Amino acid sequence: MTAPDTHSTYGPQSFWWKYIWSQDHKVIAIQYFITSLAIGLVALVLSWLMRIQIGFPGALEFIDANAYYQFLTMHGMIMVIYLLTAMFLGGFGNYLIPLMIGARDMVFPFLNMLSYWLYLLAVIILVCGFFVPGGSTGAGWTLYPPQAILPGTPGSDWGIIFMLVSLVTFVIAATMGGLNYVTTVLQARTRGMTLMRMPLTVWGIFIASLMALLAFPALFVSGLMMLSDKILGSSFFMPAIISMGQDPGYSGGSPILFQHLFWFFGHPEVYIVALPAFGIVSDLISCHARKGIFGYRMMVWAIVSIAALSFIVWAHHMYVSGMNPLFGFFFATTTLIIAVPTAIKVYNWTLTLWQGDIHLTLPMLFSVAFISTFLIGGLTGLFLGNVIVDLPLSDTYFVVAHFHMVMGMAPVMVVFGAIYHWYPMVTGRLLNTTLGHWHFWVTFIGSYAIYFPMHYLGILGMPRRYYAYEDYSFIPPSAQDLNAFITVAALIVGFFQLLFLFNLIYSFFRGEKASANPWRATSLEWQTPDIPPTHGNWGAQQPTVYRWAYDFNVPGHSSDFIPQNTPVMNEGKDHEIR
Amino acid sequence: MRFVNTLAEKPWLNPDDGQASANYMVQDQASINLFGLRLLLAVIFVVFALFVGAYNMRMTYGDVNDLPMHWRLILNTSILIFSSLILHIAYTGMDKALASKQAVEIQLQRRIKCLYLIAGMTALMFVVAQITLCQQLMNLGYSLAANPANSFFYLITGLHALHIIGGVIYWCYCYRLCWQTDSWKTTETRQALHHQMRLCANYWHGLLLIWLMLLSLLLMT
Ligand code: HEM
Ligand SMILES: [Cu+2]
């Protein structure tokens, strides 16, 4: 039994156990969600500060070169790991997996709770890193040694230690979560929910969790080794080096070894964020275009093959590290091959829209925005995947533009779409649409205003990770105007994210009451006896699944959708039978 | 192969009236736990495999010395093997206890408890032996920072020992269960105990395999 089919284990609880030390996957999901949003807000503010410095150099006194590097590092690390990874796996994964596969909870609820608290601890350590002597680390989110731990880099005393300890803690938390998600999907699906009947959201999160289990160890190992180099004076990564006129006593270590370990984690990491987004957006598009997803099987295959391939492409981040050209050839080939399943997915989303009954709801708008930004970002990825094209472009704003389009904007669009979509299920109320439209249009147009010019700046040769761009003869002065423009756009977009936060809170109290299944969705999470679902999710009886999640507009049926738990004989009838 | 077949299914073709779900197997919590544990072992394996990879790469730099520890390592390993073996015997004894319909004989109970105790203690002994080995090496001047071989050695053995200690903590829980007379009373409680011991043994064997991988690495270089 996945869980006893009675209510006894899921009875009422006191406030403390219900909301704080909760083992309910839905509460843990919300905890993950709020925590990641809070720390994400810090990263957002950091990005404003950086942009102000670049657009209007010297406008803010307190941003010197050191502060700039610290902001840069913390912004990147928080966004990639503590916001996106945590929110997709810990937030959406936790909330949706059990509901979508018809389970009552995760299979290891206690471990699930522990995972959240360790994540919170990791975030707290990270935040403490801001306040230690010397401030947080400024080594760049890739934390490359030797500079990461040598004097001269801001935060090389304590900041880097806090960073690494926080990361190691995060990996343990993510592993606990990942074990839960993978085991739940494989072992606790309800009756009739075969793997190939799972919504693509579950597929995306499931495979991403599996990847996290295999990729995060590399971060863990490199984190421990760097800590040892820093604190115990070993020389895993540190070569013999004279630093500030002194010999810190290292010898013979290999910085390249760190790069390999880091990117063995780092590249899969981008897909750990991307795959859940892929999955979620597939479901949003299908539901809001009232049409079954085009090429379901191909979508699953693409997810699986992207996951497998992404473990053998990591060195495309290291083309400029002076590696053997044959390696470069190998990694360029695998990198370009990965574009094939990725492109298939983009075609399938488009073909799902083709002749669909498209409702331009906010989730749909954000989904289309996702396709658009992801397409642009993916295309520049193809540029960068070629060694000779990458060599001049690497470490310029072209790369910044690439990964912000593909990993910054695209998954964030999905996050927004998903929130507009599932908010009524979680809270019972709809988000305000007027505010939502303002949020959407400004974010969508704004993201192009911010990142499109960066491609051009990159081709001009503007290097990334510089604190100021004055007095470089190879950068024309007009670049500064463009930078100022980008900064203004970034501040406006940033402001509208606050509007979105306001909407989240406002609608919680004042939003329009939602009906039980406002988008008329087929998947199980909308078919619970209570909306919002209560502890134990399914009341007395877990649901039985009779079909896949994409029966929209099936010919010969009165209603334009058939929930997954509707048996064949009831097809023509209404969908009240929950 | 089964996975490939699964991926070849066409879910849109046959919505069913309960046929496909008729042969649905409800997983019991025991097999779920076992699955989770094996997944965890796989992750731990990846961690150490990455260390092995890093070690091999770092060793090509040619500034590596040799640690005079081979026979001690083999000795420690034999302690670990012994521990795993004893745990396995205890666990198979539990199989027997489960098979018997009536109350379990006191003698069998005692034997299992005793074996179980030895298994835990020897695992602890392994940890202590590893620590003393490290200490002796340090006293001989093989400090952690002196050479990459040393650094790897201390880091890898330390991390592995930590995992063993984690296992021992879990073992304490099982042992308490084993000690309580209640655990032996009914078939259900015995099954629960059997299950816990099975998880424990699985973890033990998994860590042993990982250690053997690490040992061969350390001996080869
Ligand atoms: C067709 C697919 C893709 C290709 C061929 C590709 C290729 C590349 C290459 C070659 C680089 C290294 C550029 C350099 O540093 O010189 C890069 C950087 C990056 N890519 Fe992609 N990429 C693809 C998709 C993605 C996706 C889907 C994501 C995230 C969801 C992503 C996130 C990133 C990030 C974050 C970086 C920058 C890392 C850093 O140096 O800080 N990429 N990409
Ligand atoms: Cu990559």
Side-chain angles (χ1 to χ4, degrees):
Chain A
M1 297 267 292
T2 50
D5 245 16
T6 64
H7 245 137
S8 61
T9 27
Y10 299 99
Q13 304 151 304
S14 71
F15 174 83
W16 193 249
W17 288 105
K18 196 165 167 187
Y19 295 112
I20 310 297
W21 300 111
S22 177
Q23 298 186 21
D24 183 336
H25 70 102
K26 298 185 290 298
V27 180
I28 296 173
I30 302 295
Q31 290 171 330
Y32 253 114
F33 190 82
I34 292 176
T35 313
S36 60
L37 216 54
I39 192 71
L41 206 58
V42 174
L44 184 65
V45 173
L46 291 176
S47 77
W48 298 343
L49 297 176
M50 283 188 289
R51 264 334 302 185
I52 291 175
Q53 166 59 29
I54 298 178
F56 308 99
L60 294 177
E61 297 269 294
F62 64 92
I63 305 180
D64 56 6
N66 281 346
Y68 182 82
Y69 287 129
Q70 292 172 322
F71 297 167
L72 177 87
T73 306
M74 298 310 266
H75 164 80
M77 196 65 100
I78 291 175
M79 287 298 192
V80 172
I81 301 211
Y82 298 87
L83 174 71
L84 283 177
T85 308
M87 186 179 276
F88 271 123
L89 300 186
F92 287 107
N94 248 322
Y95 210 103
L96 294 175
I97 289 175
L99 281 166
M100 282 189 151
I101 63 171
R104 290 193 179 279
D105 206 323
M106 288 290 174
V107 288
F108 309 123
F110 181 75
L111 203 63
N112 206 12
M113 176 183 78
L114 220 55
S115 159
Y116 169 71
W117 289 103
L118 269 180
Y119 165 62
L120 184 66
L121 180 68
V123 170
I124 291 174
I125 298 173
L126 182 85
V127 172
C128 288
F130 280 104
F131 303 106
V132 293
S136 58
T137 176
W141 85 282
T142 48
L143 301 179
Y144 279 3
Q147 49 92 16
I149 61 176
L150 286 180
T153 303
S156 60
D157 292 327
W158 287 104
I160 184 71
I161 294 178
F162 273 67
M163 184 78 252
L164 293 172
V165 172
S166 171
L167 283 175
V168 166
T169 315
F170 182 90
V171 172
I172 299 173
T175 303
M176 289 176 168
L179 289 175
N180 238 323
Y181 313 147
V182 170
T183 313
T184 304
V185 169
L186 288 179
Q187 306 271 310
R189 297 189 309 279
T190 191
R191 187 172 289 272
M193 180 61 84
T194 58
L195 280 175
M196 292 303 272
R197 276 184 183 162
M198 296 196 306
L200 286 167
T201 299
V202 181
W203 267 107
I205 297 174
F206 164 56
I207 298 291
S209 307
L210 208 56
M211 290 176 72
L213 289 180
L214 298 178
F216 273 122
L219 181 64
F220 184 77
V221 165
S222 52
L224 286 184
M225 284 160 72
M226 185 153 21
L227 273 175
S228 156
D229 276 6
K230 171 73 198 163
I231 301 174
L232 305 173
S234 56
S235 299
F236 291 115
F237 302 134
M238 298 298 288
I241 198 168
I242 300 293
S243 161
M244 307 222 144
Q246 287 187 330
D247 177 9
Y250 295 112
S251 80
S254 162
I256 297 291
L257 173 59
F258 177 85
Q259 295 192 13
H260 279 298
L261 284 172
F262 183 86
W263 288 113
F264 185 77
F265 145 77
H267 185 81
E269 165 64 22
V270 306
Y271 281 100
I272 290 169
V273 171
L275 290 187
F278 290 175
I280 290 173
V281 87
S282 310
D283 285 353
L284 296 188
I285 288 177
S286 170
C287 175
H288 292 265
R290 315 307 296 160
K291 189 162 164 245
I293 190 80
F294 186 91
Y296 175 85
R297 273 198 307 176
M298 245 194 272
M299 292 301 240
V300 174
W301 296 346
I303 288 178
V304 173
S305 49
I306 287 173
L309 282 171
S310 64
F311 281 96
I312 48 167
V313 301
W314 75 89
H316 65 213
H317 297 273
M318 298 163 60
Y319 288 155
V320 288
S321 70
M323 61 182 168
N324 186 321
L326 286 177
F327 279 155
F329 176 74
F330 171 80
F331 283 106
T333 311
T334 51
T335 300
L336 297 182
I337 289 175
I338 225 180
V340 175
T342 314
I344 287 177
K345 296 195 76 78
V346 177
Y347 291 133
N348 284 356
W349 290 318
T350 321
L351 286 169
T352 307
L353 290 172
W354 177 252
Q355 294 193 333
D357 173 12
I358 299 177
H359 292 50
L360 286 178
T361 54
L362 282 161
M364 175 54 93
L365 289 174
F366 276 107
S367 303
V368 174
F370 161 82
I371 299 180
S372 147
T373 46
F374 187 76
L375 183 63
I376 301 287
L379 286 177
T380 52
L382 288 181
F383 287 48
L384 296 173
N386 293 284
V387 184
I388 2 168
V389 186
D390 180 67
L391 288 184
L393 288 178
S394 183
D395 286 318
T396 70
Y397 263 73
F398 193 86
V399 174
V400 179
H402 158 67
F403 69 74
H404 276 95
M405 283 311 260
V406 80
M407 186 180 199
M409 295 331 290
V412 166
M413 295 295 174
V414 177
V415 167
F416 290 140
I419 292 175
Y420 284 100
H421 183 79
W422 278 300
Y423 192 84
M425 180 184 71
V426 177
T427 64
R429 289 172 191 269
L430 293 161
L431 281 165
N432 183 300
T433 353
T434 317
L435 289 178
H437 276 108
W438 276 102
H439 176 222
F440 169 74
W441 286 108
V442 174
T443 308
F444 179 52
I445 297 174
S447 64
Y448 274 93
I450 298 170
Y451 296 111
F452 220 71
M454 285 190 191
H455 294 96
Y456 172 68
L457 288 174
I459 291 172
L460 278 185
M462 191 173 127
R464 74 191 270 212
R465 290 180 172 163
Y466 275 30
Y467 145 76
Y469 293 91
E470 298 131 329
D471 309 325
Y472 289 98
S473 54
F474 60 91
I475 305 175
S478 60
Q480 191 52 44
D481 302 336
L482 211 47
N483 270 326
F485 169 78
I486 293 175
T487 298
V488 174
L491 291 177
I492 296 174
V493 171
F495 171 76
F496 274 79
Q497 307 315 307
L498 300 185
L499 197 71
F500 169 69
L501 286 184
F502 170 75
N503 195 356
L504 280 185
I505 299 167
Y506 171 81
S507 300
F508 185 78
F509 297 106
R510 293 285 164 78
E512 187 191 329
K513 281 238 165 30
S515 56
N517 187 355
W519 313 115
R520 294 176 299 138
T522 53
S523 42
L524 282 185
E525 82 274 22
W526 295 99
Q527 323 299 336
T528 54
D530 313 282
I531 300 254
T534 49
H535 195 42
N537 295 347
W538 301 107
Q541 189 73 48
Q542 275 175 268
T544 303
V545 168
Y546 300 96
R547 56 184 73 242
W548 70 337
Y550 300 99
D551 272 343
F552 291 104
N553 276 317
V554 180
H557 292 275
S558 53
S559 155
D560 77 338
F561 74 112
I562 313 175
Q564 281 190 280
N565 57 347
T566 310
V568 171
M569 50 259 193
N570 290 337
E571 264 176 12
K573 302 180 191 143
D574 57 332
H575 303 295
E576 301 307 297
I577 26 121
R578 288 246 172 75
Chain B
M1 221 39 230
R2 230 177 72 208
F3 187 59
V4 174
N5 285 340
T6 303
L7 287 182
E9 280 170 23
K10 297 179 177 167
W12 56 89
L13 283 186
N14 337 299
D16 67 79
D17 38 18
Q19 290 302 322
S21 48
N23 51 9
Y24 168 73
M25 284 243 305
V26 190
Q27 299 288 344
D28 57 284
Q29 189 65 36
S31 55
I32 291 177
N33 290 348
L34 198 62
F35 183 92
L37 179 76
R38 289 187 178 157
L39 199 57
L40 171 67
L41 281 169
V43 175
I44 299 176
F45 174 80
V46 173
V47 169
F48 284 101
L50 283 164
F51 267 119
V52 172
Y55 192 90
N56 280 329
M57 190 170 159
R58 182 67 181 81
M59 289 307 117
T60 55
Y61 283 67
D63 56 345
V64 179
N65 69 8
D66 201 17
L67 287 158
M69 60 183 180
H70 291 178
W71 70 269
R72 280 289 300 271
L73 268 186
I74 291 174
L75 185 72
N76 292 1
T77 306
S78 53
I79 301 178
L80 198 62
I81 295 178
F82 180 75
S83 174
S84 242
L85 207 68
I86 296 291
L87 193 63
H88 195 74
I89 298 175
Y91 164 64
T92 38
M94 203 59 212
D95 272 348
K96 221 185 276 168
L98 264 188
S100 71
K101 285 278 179 304
Q102 321 90 3
V104 183
E105 303 158 38
I106 296 292
Q107 219 160 6
L108 185 57
Q109 265 190 48
R110 259 204 216 125
R111 216 186 86 204
I112 292 173
K113 279 181 197 167
C114 181
L115 286 171
Y116 210 50
L117 185 66
I118 296 175
M121 288 301 135
T122 41
L124 268 183
M125 215 167 102
F126 168 79
V127 174
V128 174
Q130 292 282 76
I131 294 174
T132 43
L133 171 59
C134 288
Q135 256 167 357
Q136 278 175 9
L137 284 174
M138 295 233 182
N139 290 343
L140 288 174
Y142 294 93
S143 74
L144 184 140
N147 189 278
N150 310 1
S151 319
F152 268 108
F153 176 74
Y154 291 124
L155 205 59
I156 292 177
T157 49
L159 201 63
H160 180 263
L162 270 182
H163 281 86
I164 296 269
I165 291 174
V168 170
I169 292 173
Y170 185 60
W171 169 88
C172 288
Y173 167 75
C174 297
Y175 190 65
R176 221 187 97 231
L177 209 63
C178 188
W179 198 249
Q180 290 164 343
T181 35
D182 280 355
S183 312
W184 298 90
K185 281 211 174 110
T186 66
T187 338
E188 272 101 73
T189 56
R190 261 178 277 153
Q191 232 146 21
L193 180 61
H194 176 260
H195 171 57
Q196 296 298 342
M197 287 174 98
R198 179 159 186 213
L199 293 180
C200 201
N202 257 276
Y203 187 74
W204 239 248
H205 299 337
L207 281 197
L208 175 65
L209 284 183
I210 290 171
W211 175 251
L212 291 178
M213 169 179 84
L214 298 177
L215 177 77
S216 55
L217 174 80
L218 294 171
L219 289 186
M220 270 185 321
T221 46

